[in-house]
Amino acid sequence: MTTDTTGAAARDDASRPGGPADSPFVRACRRRPVPHTPVWFMRQAGRSLPEYREIRANVAMLESCRRPDLVTEITLQPVRRHKVDAAILFSDIVVPVAAAGVDLDIVPGTGPVVAEPVRTAADVQRIRPIGRDDVPYVDEAVRMLVKELGDTPLIGFAGAPFTLASYLVEGGPSRNHVKTKALMYGDPELWHALAGRLAEVTLAFLRVQIAAGVSAVQLFDSWAGALSEADYRRFVLPHSTTVLSGLADAGIPRIHFGVGTAELLGAMGEAGADVVGVDWRTPLDVATCRIGPDKAVQGNLDPCLLFAPWPVIEAEVRRILDQGRAAPGHVFNLGHGVLPETDPEVLTRVVALVHELSARPAEGA
């Protein structure tokens, strides 16, 4: 276990001029003036790139997440190719729960599969606390990447307690989250014990990344949109707040993202993030009204639109940039992850277009 979990590396960088802390991405997250709207893509590290498929050939997903050399190369690939304004660590949301003792695997074409789903208090107790010594490969990869990236910020990430709990209770991906909701409604005490334990694991995992030097973190609550606002506030918000508020002293931006969360945006904005990610279903100006004027927004091009003719894509990029101006800070992104079949050249063109359309005159010009 390590005690170096305060994010000192990130704060040291913030104290010097230039560097990742003064990048367009971090400035936008902090609602400060930017030379152009920054852009990165969720699931940009891999997915659609042929160089990713080549390097991942015959390497299982969990193994690739535990090899700092592979993590570093895969994370850098979209930065080199697309010239995005931020890199995001190549990993998976189940990495910390695997480190916490949960027997699972990431099955190609299916996703995370849990050998023994979590259904009892004894199951929860078996999820042990983690620290840097449990995920040394993450610590090493982040440190390698910070050196390689220079002034380009690195985003760390983790899965939120609800989404992680859903995988653990269901035993794998689920469309309707039946077992998860049955546990929430039927045994709230056990649910909160599980979500609380996962919040501790998630917080520790993010602190490892922060101590190693990431410039921002994103908390993914991919399945939170399956809940009503009332259920979100009762069963989820306290635990997401534990994670995000627990990083308040880290000195770096915190992003919170979910899918299908139009009715939850206001509540999600209360969890402690500096930036709220918005999927493609909600216009950014509408989202800003729901989230409040003290948060930046991230999003929100529909990933499927990348398969449309270029004039359609260009019009949508313009629309999103226009609507994003309603927020005090805007990070351009997709409304969810890059689809594997996406043409990488289209992503490169989108980055260049966002930079061109959003360029601001230099101060004093």
Side-chain angles (χ1 to χ4, degrees), residues 61-320:
M61 181 62 183
L62 272 178
E63 180 187 348
S64 66
C65 294
R66 293 167 176 159
R67 287 180 49 182
D69 59 331
L70 275 181
V71 170
T72 299
E73 172 58 23
I74 293 169
T75 302
L76 291 172
Q77 285 175 350
V79 179
R80 295 192 198 108
R81 182 187 272 258
H82 303 313
K83 304 298 187 289
V84 286
D85 292 285
I88 184 165
L89 181 70
F90 175 73
S91 188
D92 191 273
I93 64 170
V94 298
V95 166
V97 291
V102 177
D103 185 4
L104 58 82
D105 193 15
I106 302 175
V107 178
T110 300
V113 175
V114 180
E116 297 182 12
V118 175
R119 308 278 171 78
T120 68
D123 295 334
V124 174
Q125 287 300 316
R126 284 195 291 270
I127 303 172
R128 61 177 182 261
I130 68 168
R132 184 173 63 184
D133 292 346
D134 298 291
V135 286
Y137 40 85
V138 172
D139 176 80
E140 183 180 349
V142 170
R143 293 178 188 277
M144 291 170 63
L145 279 162
V146 169
K147 291 179 181 178
E148 290 286 338
L149 285 164
D151 290 345
T152 301
L154 175 65
I155 305 168
F157 80 91
F162 174 77
T163 292
L164 293 176
S166 178
Y167 280 116
L168 298 190
V169 173
E170 301 287 342
S174 171
R175 182 180 297 274
N176 297 312
H177 310 281
V178 173
K179 295 181 177 66
T180 304
K181 291 185 177 183
L183 177 61
M184 283 195 321
Y185 301 138
D187 195 341
E189 184 176 354
L190 179 58
W191 168 262
H192 285 296
L194 172 59
R197 179 63 60 89
L198 292 173
E200 294 171 1
V201 170
T202 299
L203 180 56
F205 187 59
L206 289 172
R207 282 177 170 163
V208 169
Q209 297 175 57
I210 292 168
V214 298
S215 297
V217 293
Q218 176 158 308
L219 188 67
F220 283 84
D221 211 351
S222 304
W223 308 136
L227 301 174
S228 68
E229 182 183 0
D231 287 344
Y232 177 86
R233 288 186 177 277
R234 178 184 177 189
F235 295 112
V236 178
L237 182 56
H239 306 292
S240 294
T241 300
T242 293
V243 177
L244 291 166
S245 297
L247 300 174
D249 65 345
I252 64 172
R254 298 154 292 170
I255 308 168
H256 197 16
F257 172 75
V259 182
T261 55
E263 298 303 317
L264 307 180
L265 289 173
M268 291 180 71
E270 298 170 17
D274 306 288
V275 185
V276 177
V278 183
D279 77 8
W280 66 93
R281 298 171 179 88
T282 308
L284 292 181
D285 50 353
V286 174
T288 295
C289 291
R290 296 178 182 180
I291 296 164
D294 60 339
K295 309 284 183 186
V297 297
Q298 180 175 277
N300 64 344
L301 184 69
D302 186 339
C304 292
L305 268 165
L306 295 172
F307 298 84
W310 179 252
V312 176
I313 298 173
E314 181 176 350
E316 286 299 298
V317 169
R318 289 178 180 274
R319 177 185 64 81
I320 290 165

